[in-house]
């Protein structure tokens, strides 16, 4: 049971990739802990400030279980005007 994690902008640079797979059936908080451990402090900092979409919908309950086949988008704060 897997899900897809897609990284955008600064998250992509911090993770060193644009996409990867991870285990499903756990919460967003648990997934983020795993991703930070996997990729290091640089990504951990980005994850603390990022927003997350699960299958295109903003994730507000970070303890809800992520289903197999889901796509989690990691969206760091965007600069601009």
């Amino acid at each position: 049971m897997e899900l897809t994690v897609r990284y955008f902008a600064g998250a992509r640079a911090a993770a060193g990739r644009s996409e990867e797979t991870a285990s499903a059936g756990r919460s967003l908080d648990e997934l983020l802990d795993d991703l930070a451990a996997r990729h290091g402090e640089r990504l951990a900092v980005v994850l603390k400030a990022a927003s997350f979409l699960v299958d295109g919908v903003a994730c507000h309950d970070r303890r809800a279980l992520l289903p197999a086949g889901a796509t989690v988008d990691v969206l760091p704060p965007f600069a601009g005007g």
Side-chain angles (χ1 to χ4, degrees):
M1 295 191 339
E2 291 189 331
L3 56 81
T4 300
V5 180
R6 299 189 305 183
Y7 299 103
F8 294 87
R12 179 183 340 203
R17 64 192 69 216
S18 61
E19 186 175 295
E20 67 181 307
T21 59
S23 298
R26 56 189 170 159
S27 70
L28 180 61
D29 281 340
E30 291 168 324
L31 172 65
L32 299 180
D33 288 344
D34 178 52
L35 295 174
R38 196 182 300 186
H39 297 292
E41 184 63 25
R42 186 171 173 208
L43 181 60
V45 169
V46 173
L47 294 175
K48 287 179 184 176
S51 298
F52 305 93
L53 302 179
V54 178
D55 291 333
V57 177
C59 181
H60 298 292
D61 183 359
R62 295 171 59 129
R63 294 178 308 215
L65 295 183
L66 299 168
T71 299
V72 177
D73 294 329
V74 180
L75 306 170
F78 291 95

